[in-house]
């Protein structure tokens, strides 16, 4: 939940002494339904005693090895005593969501960070004796086995079944029978998380109740729609990349296929964000596309954790002082200073 003393002044505001940039891009943003009245927003964030607090959800998106950024984001959330009534995850986000729901405290998040920091490519994507380039063209289910990821999941959670997590947890996978999403809310946890994170071609499908499943991010990489359908009113979205996907010019046919896939995946999130129902607030955290990393590159883990934390802190500062949108303006800087009991200097 969010402390009901929301909209409290925060220390160490962004630079305001020198001329303030008219509209600096935030690493994420705060989004509401079009036409939401300001007085609703003030009442919603203030948490009047006559009004119950907003039902809060955390949404962990997919992003392979860049999922390390989500650890820094939950560090920022936990540090401000912002907790969730329900957590939704897909792909690597399902792995992180499950780890968080095992122990949703600062100590639990610290343990998640420790696991991430010691991961190597071989831990998650065992290389074997055959070069990866050769495996891509062999007749086989996947380039890598999933035993490495299974061990990571087993180490990161303290419950056997999803319904036994400390916070309500849901993970999504994609059916290979009909291409539809399947949301798992109960049952053996490791198999369901493993299915949600089964990157197509890279990791093998996971069979559950006789049905094969692959990565949930194929169909729903940022499942805010599921959070809304389950009654969430305030949603914190933890992305593993930038808010606006800018495709790089591709040089090979396989890169063209991947680019088209990422465009399709991102467009669903953009559409859902643009058509939020009335009375819903979505707070999004992002990280830059730099450093660029392969799916099996864990060399930037510490930098990504720190980047995720800084991004989340920046957006939370903006949100807790009444900000809306994805740009930090001079007017908002002055508002922060007024809430802090100071006056902006001329300039």
């Amino acid at each position: 939940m969010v402390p009901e003393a929301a909209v409290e002044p925060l220390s160490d505001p962004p630079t305001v002494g020198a001329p303030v940039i008219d509209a600096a891009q935030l690493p994420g943003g705060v989004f509401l339904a079009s036409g939401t009245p300001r007085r609703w927003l003030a009442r919603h964030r203030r948490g009047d005693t006559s009004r119950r607090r907003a039902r809060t959800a955390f949404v962990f998106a997919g992003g392979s090895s860049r999922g390390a950024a989500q650890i820094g984001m939950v560090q920022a959330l936990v540090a401000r005593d912002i907790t969730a009534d329900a957590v939704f995850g897909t792909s690597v986000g399902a792995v992180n969501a499950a780890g968080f729901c095992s122990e949703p405290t600062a100590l639990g998040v610290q343990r998640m960070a420790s696991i991430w920091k010691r991961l190597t490519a071989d831990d998650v994507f065992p290389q074997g004796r055959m070069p990866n380039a050769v495996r891509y063209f062999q007749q086989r289910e996947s380039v890598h086995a999933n035993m490495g990821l299974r061990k990571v999941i087993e180490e990161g959670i303290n419950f056997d079944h999803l319904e036994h997590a400390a916070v309500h947890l849901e993970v999504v996978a994609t059916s290979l029978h009909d291409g539809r999403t399947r949301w798992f809310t109960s049952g053996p946890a490791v198999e369901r998380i493993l299915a949600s994170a089964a990157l197509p071609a890279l990791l093998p499908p996971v069979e559950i109740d006789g049905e094969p499943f692959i990565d949930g991010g194929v169909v729903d990489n940022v499942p805010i729609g599921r959070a809304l359908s389950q009654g969430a009113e305030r949603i914190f979205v933890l992305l593993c990349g930038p808010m606006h996907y800018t495709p790089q010019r591709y040089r090979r046919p396989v890169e063209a296929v991947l680019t088209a896939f990422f465009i399709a995946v991102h467009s669903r999130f953009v559409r859902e964000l643009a058509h939020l129902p009335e009375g819903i607030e979505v707070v999004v955290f992002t990280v830059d596309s730099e450093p660029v990393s392969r799916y099996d590159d864990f060399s930037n883990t510490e930098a990504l954790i720190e980047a995720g934390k800084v991004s989340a802190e920046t957006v939370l500062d903006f949100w807790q002082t009444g900000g809306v949108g994805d740009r930090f303006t001079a007017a908002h800087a002055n508002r922060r200073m007024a809430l802090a009991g100071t006056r902006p200097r001329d300039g």
Side-chain angles (χ1 to χ4, degrees):
M1 73 180 202
V2 179
E4 298 304 3
V7 195
E8 61 182 77
L10 299 167
S11 61
D12 193 24
T15 305
V16 288
V20 178
I21 298 173
D22 286 340
Q25 186 70 50
L26 285 164
V30 180
F31 304 91
L32 309 170
S34 178
T36 299
R38 280 279 178 178
R39 59 180 178 274
W40 174 89
L41 178 61
R43 189 169 62 250
H44 184 65
R45 295 210 182 141
R46 186 170 60 245
D48 292 340
T49 54
S50 61
R51 183 187 185 280
R52 64 174 178 79
R53 72 173 181 83
R55 180 170 170 77
T56 301
F58 292 175
V59 169
F60 289 75
S64 195
S65 62
R66 295 181 61 82
Q70 294 176 337
I71 305 305
M73 294 170 184
V74 288
Q75 285 175 341
L77 287 164
V78 169
R80 299 182 191 224
D81 294 325
I82 299 173
T83 60
D85 298 294
V87 176
F88 304 85
T90 184
S91 195
V92 70
V95 178
N96 284 335
F100 174 74
C101 289
S102 289
E103 189 178 352
T105 64
L107 189 61
V109 177
Q110 183 181 343
R111 184 170 179 274
M112 292 172 68
S114 297
I115 293 173
W116 264 99
K117 287 177 182 179
R118 67 171 185 262
L119 287 180
T120 66
D122 266 341
D123 291 329
V124 185
F125 302 103
Q127 304 300 306
R129 291 176 295 178
M130 191 75 68
N132 286 352
V134 175
R135 294 184 188 187
Y136 276 106
F137 298 101
Q138 286 185 320
Q139 190 170 350
R140 56 194 299 154
E141 275 191 319
S142 62
V143 175
H144 306 282
N146 63 13
M147 57 191 179
L149 181 57
R150 179 184 294 275
K151 289 178 182 176
V152 173
I153 295 169
E154 290 172 345
E155 181 184 4
I157 64 175
N158 61 8
F159 51 87
D160 294 326
H161 288 69
L162 294 178
E163 64 269 30
H164 296 154
V167 181
H168 178 80
L169 170 65
E170 300 189 19
V171 299
V172 65
T174 303
S175 170
L176 280 183
H177 279 176
D178 55 20
R180 292 187 296 178
T181 56
R182 168 85 176 273
W183 280 94
F184 296 106
T185 60
S186 62
V190 173
E191 292 303 310
R192 282 146 178 78
I193 299 165
L194 197 60
S196 182
L199 289 164
L202 298 174
L203 294 171
V206 177
E207 193 167 295
I208 298 175
D209 299 330
E211 186 173 358
F213 290 93
I214 58 171
D215 198 303
V218 171
V219 179
D220 199 356
N221 197 51
V222 192
I224 58 175
R226 177 66 178 188
L228 290 171
S229 71
Q230 296 300 93
E233 299 163 304
R234 177 181 287 137
I235 304 171
F236 292 91
V237 178
L238 289 67
L239 295 183
C240 301
M243 185 82 178
H244 305 286
Y245 177 65
T246 304
Q248 300 296 314
R249 185 175 180 83
Y250 51 82
R251 292 173 295 179
R252 302 177 182 85
V254 67
E255 292 173 352
V257 173
L258 289 172
T259 296
F261 169 71
F262 286 124
I263 289 173
V265 163
H266 193 73
S267 65
R268 174 171 179 168
F269 169 57
V270 172
R271 286 197 305 272
E272 290 182 334
L273 203 57
H275 297 91
L276 294 175
E278 220 173 293
I280 302 299
E281 184 176 35
V282 177
V283 182
V284 181
F285 309 138
T286 70
V287 287
D288 289 338
S289 55
E290 299 292 341
V292 176
S293 57
R294 286 166 45 92
Y295 73 90
D296 58 352
D297 180 4
F298 293 87
S299 63
N300 294 308
T301 292
E302 292 202 38
L304 284 166
I305 291 175
E306 181 61 23
K309 183 178 180 181
V310 171
S311 294
E313 288 174 340
T314 301
V315 174
L316 288 171
D317 282 357
F318 178 76
W319 171 67
Q320 289 189 301
T321 50
V324 175
D326 62 358
R327 292 187 176 275
F328 183 92
T329 65
H332 184 262
N334 291 342
R335 173 170 166 71
R336 284 196 74 203
M337 294 197 71
L339 286 169
T342 60
R343 294 189 335 173
R345 286 178 287 181
D346 293 334

